[in-house]
Amino acid sequence: METFSLSALVVFLAEIGDKTQLLSLMLALRFRAPWLISLAILLATLLNHAVAVWFGSWVVAWISPDILQYLIAASFFAVAVWALVPDKLDDNDGSMAGYGVFLTTLALFFVAEMGDKTQVATVLLAAEYSATIMVIAGTTLGMLLANIPVVFFGENLAERLPLQWIRRGAAMLFAVLGVLALVNPS
């Protein structure tokens, strides 16, 4: 249960102010179909994070534990720094016109999450913890907790969230995970 909770918390904090959260707001404002958008976000996240967990598990099988410990720690520190940088969403919403709310959201969300800090965090969590189902479930829950309220209440939330402080908190959490990876090798 610790892996599940940690995975959810890490991704939730990393996702605040992230480009996929901005994408969720844009899709909600454009399509006004929160249930379809939410379902597509769930499916895109499950697919994306399953790939990330598979990759993280594969890395563990091919890299020695000593080297992996330092790679994981360094990666957590890098993501900590990355979390401090605000994301921007490229204005390219015309490219998916005509595909419908569900397919547009599914495709855009899946692609936007590729190489994103939450996907990198999912790879790192899978490399650190062997409970792959708990990592997928936790990271997916964290993603949904950060994005679904935006889909339903986006305009009101955008004005009230202290994004700078949330980014700092996320950076601090990733730095702590980096230290823990150094101190407590798996």
Side-chain angles (χ1 to χ4, degrees):
M1 197 62 165
E2 177 185 330
T3 301
F4 174 79
S5 301
L6 180 63
S7 297
L9 179 63
V10 164
V11 169
F12 172 76
L13 288 175
E15 185 63 15
I16 302 297
D18 191 70
K19 70 177 175 259
T20 46
Q21 195 175 48
L22 297 172
L23 177 62
S24 297
L25 177 60
M26 181 198 75
L27 291 165
L29 295 175
R30 178 169 184 198
F31 291 118
R32 310 248 188 238
W35 292 105
L36 273 177
I37 293 168
S38 299
L39 183 61
I41 288 172
L42 170 64
L43 184 57
T45 301
L46 281 170
L47 292 171
N48 192 288
H49 289 199
V51 168
V53 166
W54 170 81
F55 182 74
S57 299
W58 177 80
V59 166
V60 169
W62 289 96
I63 297 177
S64 78
D66 293 334
I67 293 172
L68 185 62
Q69 175 186 3
Y70 293 110
L71 284 175
I72 289 172
S75 297
F76 274 128
F77 291 131
V79 174
V81 172
W82 190 3
L84 294 172
V85 179
D87 272 330
K88 293 175 180 62
L89 182 65
D90 296 331
D91 189 16
N92 192 12
D93 64 355
S95 63
M96 294 295 293
Y99 288 102
V101 176
F102 182 81
L103 287 179
T104 299
T105 302
L106 180 72
L108 289 176
F109 208 86
F110 183 85
V111 170
E113 190 62 14
M114 296 301 288
D116 194 55
K117 64 182 161 266
T118 50
Q119 187 187 42
V120 172
T122 302
V123 170
L124 294 172
L125 288 162
E128 182 72 15
Y129 302 101
S130 60
T132 57
I133 298 299
M134 288 293 131
V135 171
I136 293 170
T139 58
T140 299
L141 176 64
M143 184 70 75
L144 295 177
L145 288 173
N147 285 291
I148 300 307
V150 171
V151 171
F152 283 92
F153 311 108
E155 289 180 77
N156 292 331
L157 287 174
E159 297 171 3
R160 296 186 178 151
L161 287 175
L163 295 180
Q164 182 179 13
W165 286 102
I166 293 170
R167 277 194 293 275
R168 288 177 182 165
M172 181 68 86
L173 178 62
F174 282 114
V176 166
L177 289 171
V179 170
L180 291 174
L182 287 174
V183 175
N184 299 322
S186 298

